[in-house]
Amino acid sequence: MKNIFKIALIAFSTLSLSSCDDYLETESPSVVDSDLVFSDVTSAKSALLNAYDKWRGKSYVHSNGLFYALAEVGSDIEHHPESYSKQTRHIPEYFYPGGTSSFDVSSFGEGSSAWSALYSIISITNSLINSFESTSNFEAMMSSGEATELSDLYGQAVALRATAYWELLRYFGDVPHVLKTGETGENGIVPRDQIYEYHLNKLMEVEPYMFRVGENGNDADVMTRTYVQGLIGRYCLYMGGYATRRTDLGSDFYKDLDGNTISFENWSTESNSAVYGRRSDWKDYFTIAKTYLTSLVSNSGSAYLITSDPRSVSTSGQYFGNPYQYVFQMMMTGEELSDESIYEIPEEYGYYSERPYAFGRPSAGGSSNYFPCKSYGQSRFQASYYYGDFDPNDLRRDVTVTVTASNGDGTEKVIDPTPGSKTMGGFANNKWDENRMTTPYTAKQRKSGINTPYMRMSDAILMLAEVEAALGNDGTAKNYLAMVHNRAFASESLANLDGFITKAGSVYDAVLEERKLEFGGEGMRRYDLIRTGKLPEAIVANRNLMKTVCDNIEANGYHTFDNGNQLPEYIWVKQVDARTDLGYRLTTQCTDESDPVLFPGWRGQNDDWSQFDNAGKYGDPTLTNAAIKGLFTYIDPSSQEALDLEADGYERMDWGRAIVDNRADYADDLFLGYTDADASAKVPPIYLVPLSITILENSGISNGYGFQSIN
């Protein structure tokens, strides 16, 4: 994919960093010749690329690590594919069953990896920022009233550092605040509010001196003014949002930058030396968010909300007509970024990439020289999300969720809901699929080169809708909500925005529901629930719904959701020759819901199988596609319809039955660390990540929230 890191880095020894894997990777030379380093744009850009490269690689928060273990999976719509007993990482996802005090804090390596990686990035950006600020022309540059290449690069460094801190704060809570070259966090834990406030101020300071997406050669693969405006919005939503905070650090620990003690509106009682609530002055931050998000939406540079699909019907007859799918297709095409991306992390073909290995359509292919190579499929969805949350006319459903995987031999397979991985584990993320790449990478797994979306225009628009609704401006909020909601349907009448709002209960709740539908599998839902105060009720409601689903399937053979979809005990499947029947194997937008190959859409297999190395091993398969009957409508297994299907070569497959047989994983034990009783008693949810003993030993800080500590 389009990759800024293909640019050759100029040797830049004055900013080389030594590593300290155990704590804060912040060691840097004490003396930097700023005027030499930043005397021209080229040297400054080369230094910044080093920081970007560390961020793009294994930073453990946007593609692997904590994103993989928590953000992508632990919500009321998303989960892991394996059974609870198979993975230690389920424990933080499920809010620490057995209590935080019994959790082995050193067993969760993703936390330690992310901690070290983020502070390493912060160390590099500190050196860059400190060097910029000590140049002789810095004041003139930042008082000129206009963006220059150097001021833009300075702003990018500020934005990258602020992004790293945002990730630290949402995962860990209160952390050390390191701002100067050579500092190692000796002052210990700093209140998150001070860290948020400091970086919010810096972002607002640099924002006017940066270029938007598409200006001065800046694309969405770097942090632009457009992204900074969106990041300010994110910061404010988290600053003014709900969070679980420590009470063991003293009643006056949480202070602002001026030293004033902050007051809170607490939802919870106190437990595990923590409470769950939000700042009393939350509206102040939502008002700031409104200002910057309005500016972003009114002038977003070259980024825009994609509302039409420019693709024509293929020569084989594949119909597209889905702008939402096109958003993600652009990330899979080649040297291209999605036009909807405000910031998109570029990955390089043949280099490490988690999409779609962990966050896309699964494949059982081998680890190398198969197509698609093995894709484990970490990103899975709750059955209730696929069947119950999406309106049947919503164009996003089949783009977001798939019920089929690839075998790696040119054939498609319906995913078994039984917990597992690859072609097992249930409903999978469909936003990224190597079958849809122009030139897929087959030499080895995890090297597809598919890009990572970090902020899209729809996110900025819905953040703006949210703050408008929260501030009481329902009419304005509804207008922004309509922009995203209506593009997900073929017409405004099918979108039925007023009906959607009525069902949600309010404009505000409709915006949150829209975010659930828009960003499935993109790692947002868990933290949207946390910061809006909806987490306790949402996870209890989801668990109880899935218990009812299992009970109804057991009793009646199916469960009917409010939208009319039925989750049946069985479905019927057979393999067919789609190339002969349709003229192609890779399906697109469904044009005929009675066709069991076309419905549901966006599945199948790559049309040009013969181009891949393993085609010679397997030959050119004929029965490539799975035809599915009874996916959304119950078929009585003793009925004539079922008998006719079996006579036609269809085989009955456990579907809802597999969910019932594994109801502990699908229903009873969902989020078993936060029970109905906990929600009723208003116990604060513990979703934060503990620090390992190694970090504690080297830092002098302590764990909170009941976790094991050494102080």
Side-chain angles (χ1 to χ4, degrees), residues 564-578:
N565 285 337
Q566 292 180 327
L567 173 53
E569 187 171 14
Y570 306 106
I571 60 174
W572 279 259
V573 181
K574 78 170 179 178
Q575 295 300 119
V576 298
D577 181 355

Side-chain angles (χ1 to χ4, degrees), residues 66-81 89-90 93-94 358-359 377-382 521 523 526 671:
L66 294 178
F67 184 85
Y68 179 97
L70 291 177
E72 183 73 8
V73 292
S75 77
D76 63 335
I77 67 172
E78 299 145 328
H79 68 112
H80 282 96
R89 59 178 174 260
H90 272 305
E93 174 194 354
Y94 277 13
F359 311 118
Q378 168 78 352
S379 177
R380 303 298 175 102
F381 295 101
Q382 307 277 9
R526 180 180 177 93
F671 312 112

Side-chain angles (χ1 to χ4, degrees), residues 205-269:
E205 175 187 316
V206 301
E207 181 263 345
Y209 296 95
M210 298 181 70
F211 296 110
R212 294 179 176 88
V213 176
E215 294 178 347
N216 201 52
N218 281 357
D219 291 326
D221 53 4
V222 298
M223 295 181 176
T224 61
R225 180 178 184 179
T226 315
Y227 170 71
V228 165
Q229 291 170 337
L231 185 59
I232 290 170
R234 275 188 181 172
Y235 255 72
C236 290
L237 284 171
Y238 277 74
M239 291 178 75
Y242 286 82
T244 297
R245 296 169 181 266
R246 297 172 65 166
T247 58
D248 61 313
L249 298 173
S251 59
D252 62 346
F253 173 72
Y254 290 106
K255 295 181 179 180
D256 63 19
L257 276 178
D258 294 327
N260 301 309
T261 301
I262 300 168
S263 63
F264 296 96
E265 301 170 355
N266 288 328
W267 172 87
S268 74
T269 56

